[in-house]
Amino acid sequence: MKKFILPILVLLICLNSCKKEDFTPKDVVPFIDGDVPNDLKINQIQYLGSHNSYRLKTNQELFDFITGLSNILPAEFNSIELDYEHLPLQTQLRNYGIRQLEIDLYLDQQGGLFYSRRGNGFIDQELESGIPELLQPGIKVMHIPDVDYNAHQLTFIDNLKEIKTWSDRYPEHIPVFILIELKETSIHSFLPTGGFVQTESWENAAALASLESEILAVFDREEILLPDDVRGNYNTLNEAVLNDNWPTIGESRGKVVFLHNNDNITNIYTMGAPSLENKLLFTNGTPGDDDAAFVMSNQIDSNFGEINILAEQGYLIRTRSDAGTYEARNNDYSKWTLALQSGAHFISTDYYKADDRAGDGVWSSFMVQFNNGLYRPNPITGQ
């Protein structure tokens, strides 16, 4: 009889958690992707996402140095907003129901561009990282070169392999959406004579081709939900989206979906493929354009009405429930509540678990989760 006790307990927990949608943070609830109805379309539910999913905290001494310069550095170097980190990708996927990840990518076509960390010179530490994979050509993963470079995996390929390993182990999973930010941010941009790394531009066809090549080095096309899969027989991708031609959960199980949030490269990426024909990634589209299917709208408080309209029209939308650690410091659930009430499909957070310092007088127990730990009906499209 003992072998039946655990399943019964899990069932009781799930039944109890589904009785009401009170949006109250709670410990992680057991979830099973296979329980998501196959006939739901992928735009009929909300997914929990993590922001800068790859990231580890800045080295403490360097973090303290940046804090001391907070009054003169640009906003993206504000140390308050850098004081967070994430669990390994597989842990997020397996234990916390994360189904939308975000990865920042820097070009390194010759290799070695990020091998030295010049910011270490501020704190009298070795500049050279001693990390062999940083000497190899290929796309690298980090938040800001020279100063905020820590990540669970430092190459795009290794991040993809982590996701692929988990996906192969749980082939019934609902689609995992991988949001790509193609970055060029660096200290060199505002201090060009300081010897800091000058990043490479993504605004060329060869760079974007290398992005697709690295994706296909890990995932087969059949394992990716493509813009062509949504466009189907419609003339444009946008027309397909406006006619609700999104695939079902059943048709999307075990697949990954690549999105990018840059609008500066869209014209290059869509050249010769205005509806993303034969492309791997969905663009951060402008509603009405041929390629438009996915839209970034991070400011839930100011864009709530627009998000609902876009969702009703058929677009997939990403927003955020917290940003810059402020909600976690103030125990502020206002954006989370708005996001749940909106038509946004991907709600991104840094706090699918509470900060380890919760209760120390600075950090609250702020964390966000769906009641069943995995998904919930989209209030606009899930009816």
Side-chain angles (χ1 to χ4, degrees), residues 140-194:
K140 303 303 188 296
V141 173
M142 68 194 76
H143 190 229
I144 305 170
D146 289 322
V147 293
D148 194 32
Y149 45 73
N150 288 334
H152 285 286
Q153 284 82 33
L154 295 168
T155 69
F156 186 36
I157 289 283
D158 284 344
N159 277 268
L160 293 176
K161 286 179 177 177
E162 285 291 300
I163 300 167
K164 179 71 161 61
T165 297
W166 175 85
S167 180
D168 288 346
R169 189 172 296 158
Y170 303 99
E172 288 298 301
H173 69 78
I174 63 176
V176 173
F177 297 82
I178 304 170
L179 178 62
I180 301 301
E181 182 170 356
L182 308 177
K183 295 193 72 171
E184 300 172 20
T185 302
S186 70
I187 294 181
H188 179 274
S189 301
F190 72 94
L191 192 62
T193 60

Side-chain angles (χ1 to χ4, degrees), residues 158-359:
D158 284 344
N159 277 268
L160 293 176
K161 286 179 177 177
E162 285 291 300
I163 300 167
K164 179 71 161 61
T165 297
W166 175 85
S167 180
D168 288 346
R169 189 172 296 158
Y170 303 99
E172 288 298 301
H173 69 78
I174 63 176
V176 173
F177 297 82
I178 304 170
L179 178 62
I180 301 301
E181 182 170 356
L182 308 177
K183 295 193 72 171
E184 300 172 20
T185 302
S186 70
I187 294 181
H188 179 274
S189 301
F190 72 94
L191 192 62
T193 60
F196 298 99
V197 64
Q198 184 171 1
T199 57
E200 300 177 7
S201 174
W202 283 101
E203 295 185 41
N204 61 85
L208 299 177
S210 74
L211 172 64
E212 290 205 339
S213 294
E214 292 208 6
I215 290 173
L216 292 176
V218 178
F219 288 97
D220 295 334
R221 278 186 175 269
E222 293 73 23
E223 298 172 313
I224 305 170
L225 197 158
L226 303 166
D228 283 343
D229 297 327
V230 178
R231 182 170 56 88
N233 296 321
Y234 286 93
N235 291 325
T236 70
L237 178 59
N238 187 70
E239 184 182 351
V241 166
L242 296 179
N243 283 279
D244 196 30
N245 203 45
W246 291 104
T248 65
I249 290 293
E251 293 167 331
S252 309
R253 289 193 184 278
K255 293 193 175 187
V256 292
V257 189
F258 289 95
L259 318 161
H260 79 67
N261 71 359
N262 301 67
D263 50 20
N264 61 314
I265 56 93
T266 296
N267 288 340
I268 301 169
Y269 191 62
T270 58
M271 191 174 298
S275 285
L276 302 173
E277 294 88 346
N278 204 37
K279 296 293 187 180
L280 301 186
L281 292 91
F282 290 85
T283 54
N284 176 16
T286 299
D289 286 356
D290 287 353
D291 62 297
F294 164 68
V295 179
M296 295 280 292
S297 190
N298 287 332
Q299 305 301 323
I300 185 63
D301 41 4
S302 57
N303 295 339
F304 180 82
E306 180 186 11
I307 288 172
N308 289 352
I309 292 171
L310 291 173
E312 190 169 4
Q313 290 174 341
Y315 298 102
L316 287 182
I317 304 127
R318 185 261 198 167
T319 196
R320 296 180 67 179
S321 65
D322 49 87
T325 76
Y326 296 107
E327 284 75 16
R329 295 169 188 268
N330 299 318
N331 204 34
D332 180 0
Y333 286 92
S334 58
K335 290 181 179 178
W336 168 246
T337 301
L338 281 176
L340 290 172
Q341 296 169 353
S342 79
H345 302 86
F346 313 115
I347 305 177
S348 182
T349 181
D350 287 319
Y351 299 99
Y352 44 84
K353 64 181 287 294
D355 192 283
D356 291 339
R357 297 163 291 184

